[in-house]
Amino acid sequence: LAKTTQPISMDSYEGQEVNITCSHNNIATNDYITWYQQFPSQGPRFIIQGYKTKVTNEVASLFIPADRKSSTLSLPRVSLSDTAVYYCLVGDRASYGKLTFGQGTILTVHP
Amino acid sequence: NAGVTQTPKFQVLKTGQSMTLQCAQDMNHEYMSWYRQDPGMGLRLIHYSVGAGITDQGEVPNGYNVSRSTTEDFPLRLLSAAPSQTSVYFCASSRPNQETQYFGPGTRLLVL
């Protein structure tokens, strides 16, 4: 399974766009990139998943360059309620349910 | 649908006691997993199951047992609780090749 590296913490202010980058240099051909969000005292919640190029949903965008060795989660116009831990996971879909989450990125949004 | 439910929400044990953490899902998901999360850390996989009657170890299986007799339930047993097992335990479920796992609300366990 591909190892991921992401910043331990980030700070932002309300209304700004936040970009969190994840490195996954040994990503395999069948691997997808998935991001989860976790609030205190809750289980993680799926945000977005992608394989290549760009994926967008109502919550976030995921940018994946051609070499797929990194990915960037983009949160538009964050609010205080976006303060959470964000996890980047890489693996093939058959391995989902068997993945260990890393430390994640603690995003703190300030007023 | 209730989704993934876990009981109890909070439990205090003494060292050496045993207990079972319950997890149930009503989405007919084949995959179920147990994770533990220590303060300031990510989630570590304890055990997982890809279907009824099939279980396998994750990253940190020692001190825990699981069984999967039905699709809906995936209990986690602590055989002899130790203070190192103080943690928050999350159960999750998903379908094969599904893009997301669904997580329960967690069980906070304190071992004295």
Side-chain angles (χ1 to χ4, degrees), chain A residues 36 38 41 46 97-99 101, chain B residues 33 35 37 43 48 100-101:
Chain A
Y36 282 82
Q38 185 181 25
S41 303
F46 171 86
K98 298 180 274 186
L99 293 178
F101 289 56
Chain B
S33 309
Y35 295 85
Q37 185 172 36
L43 283 76
Y48 64 92
T100 180
Q101 295 181 75

Side-chain angles (χ1 to χ4, degrees), chain A residues 34 36 38-49 85 87 89 92-104 106, chain B residues 31-33 35 37 40-45 47-50 59 90 94-106 108:
Chain A
T34 308
Y36 282 82
Q38 185 181 25
F39 297 114
S41 303
Q42 295 185 25
R45 184 181 71 165
F46 171 86
I47 302 176
I48 197 166
Q49 185 185 75
V85 181
Y87 297 97
L89 278 73
D92 62 79
R93 285 185 167 176
S95 67
Y96 280 24
K98 298 180 274 186
L99 293 178
T100 289
F101 289 56
Q103 277 192 297
I106 302 171
Chain B
Y31 285 11
M32 295 188 75
S33 309
Y35 295 85
Q37 185 172 36
M41 303 291 289
L43 283 76
R44 292 184 291 170
L45 183 65
H47 286 284
Y48 64 92
S49 169
V50 297
E59 181 187 7
F90 290 102
S94 64
R95 288 200 177 91
N97 298 318
Q98 189 175 30
E99 62 184 4
T100 180
Q101 295 181 75
Y102 295 87
F103 283 82
R108 292 184 176 274

Side-chain angles (χ1 to χ4, degrees), chain B residues 2 6 13 15 20 33 36 39-40 45 50 54-55 57 59 72 77 80 85 88 91 94 98-99 101 105 107-108:
Chain B
Q6 293 183 237
L13 291 179
T15 297
T20 299
S33 309
R36 61 175 289 174
L45 183 65
V50 297
I54 306 170
T55 64
Q57 296 181 349
E59 181 187 7
E72 294 79 18
R77 297 183 187 84
S80 177
Q85 293 179 305
V88 181
C91 178
S94 64
Q98 189 175 30
E99 62 184 4
Q101 295 181 75
T107 293
R108 292 184 176 274

Side-chain angles (χ1 to χ4, degrees), chain A residues 27-72:
Chain A
I27 188 169
T29 302
N30 293 335
D31 286 347
Y32 284 74
I33 301 151
T34 308
W35 285 81
Y36 282 82
Q37 175 190 57
Q38 185 181 25
F39 297 114
S41 303
Q42 295 185 25
R45 184 181 71 165
F46 171 86
I47 302 176
I48 197 166
Q49 185 185 75
Y51 184 79
K52 61 181 179 180
T53 63
K54 177 184 174 182
V55 179
T56 298
N57 61 23
E58 65 277 6
V59 177
S61 294
L62 179 59
F63 298 92
I64 305 168
D67 66 7
R68 303 201 326 124
K69 293 185 184 298
S70 67
S71 58
T72 299

Side-chain angles (χ1 to χ4, degrees), chain B residues 9-26:
Chain B
K9 285 186 171 57
F10 181 68
Q11 183 73 45
V12 179
L13 291 179
K14 294 181 180 178
T15 297
Q17 287 185 316
S18 63
M19 80 161 293
T20 299
L21 279 64
Q22 302 291 345
C23 174
Q25 52 92 9
D26 60 0

